[in-house]
Amino acid sequence: DTGVSQNPRHKITKRGQNVTFRCDPISEHNRLYWYRQTLGQGPEFLTYFQNEAQLEKSRLLSDRFSAERPKGSFSTLEIQRTEQGDSAMYLCASSLATGSGANVLTFGAGSRLTVL
Amino acid sequence: AQSVTQPDIHITVSEGASLELRCNYSYGATPYLFWYVQSPGQGLQLLLKYFSGDTLVQGIKGFEAEFKRSQSSFNLRKPSVHWSDAAEYFCAVVGGAYNNNDMRFGAGTRLTVKP
């Protein structure tokens, strides 16, 4: 098991362009999370999936953001019409949750977005 | 909603000195508490976690943390810091066993280690 994998690691784009990030979680994990981290801040929750169902979305996730996990395995996070304020590190995490009890997240290395 | 406060933005310690990083949480019940470490350009690595039981928990790399309910704190400690410990440290909370979907992080404490 290679842990949580994120691609690309770094994306530079011009304002107004669309970008997509991919996350491959640990294979046996049923939950997948997306967080955003800006410089000098802790990660902020964006959304999470249990299997293929998107169960919760933060108010931070504007209409320009969409996340999918079509087969309950990998996930994509797309940002449309990027703005300079979208520049951040986008972190993916996964966990094996059983509905109750401990829910320990394993994070990927992140995808850094720079919007020029 | 739960929240986490890390009062110290930046701490500098000498190599070999002891370390304590502060974390205070706000939540109605007893949450689950975590410390993560992040090296530059990397993701977060779990150092330790507290769910219940013994309030002093041991983690990796020689770190420990103590849960103090009366103070709503979960401070991270290490008796002797190594240069490789220089990194950003994040305290995090989820709302316990039946509200464990939304992990909230503090703003982080950046640790610098002087030789």
Side-chain angles (χ1 to χ4, degrees), chain A residues 9 31 33 35 37 40-43 45 48 56 89 91 99-105 107-109, chain B residues 32 34 36 38 41-44 46 49 51 90 96-98 100-108:
Chain A
R9 291 293 310 277
R31 282 194 181 173
Y33 299 76
Y35 282 80
Q37 184 179 23
Q41 298 298 316
F45 171 79
Y48 92 96
E56 190 170 338
M89 176 79 88
L91 294 166
S100 65
N103 185 23
V104 181
L105 275 62
F107 282 84
Chain B
Y32 289 169
F34 305 79
Y36 282 86
Q38 185 178 35
Q42 300 299 313
L44 283 77
L46 180 67
K49 57 188 181 292
F51 298 140
F90 294 95
Y98 295 95
N100 58 14
N101 304 327
D102 179 2
M103 181 176 280
R104 300 293 179 94
F105 287 83

Side-chain angles (χ1 to χ4, degrees), chain A residues 1 4 11 17 23 26 36 46 48 64 69 79 85 105:
Chain A
D1 191 345
V4 178
K11 178 72 174 179
Q17 297 296 304
C23 173
I26 293 173
R36 181 173 68 188
L46 291 178
Y48 92 96
R64 296 183 298 105
R69 195 184 183 198
I79 309 174
L105 275 62

Side-chain angles (χ1 to χ4, degrees), chain B residues 68-81:
Chain B
K68 292 186 177 180
R69 184 192 306 273
S70 61
Q71 298 177 18
S72 296
S73 69
F74 188 57
N75 294 348
L76 182 71
R77 300 194 294 248
K78 186 169 185 177
S80 178
V81 169

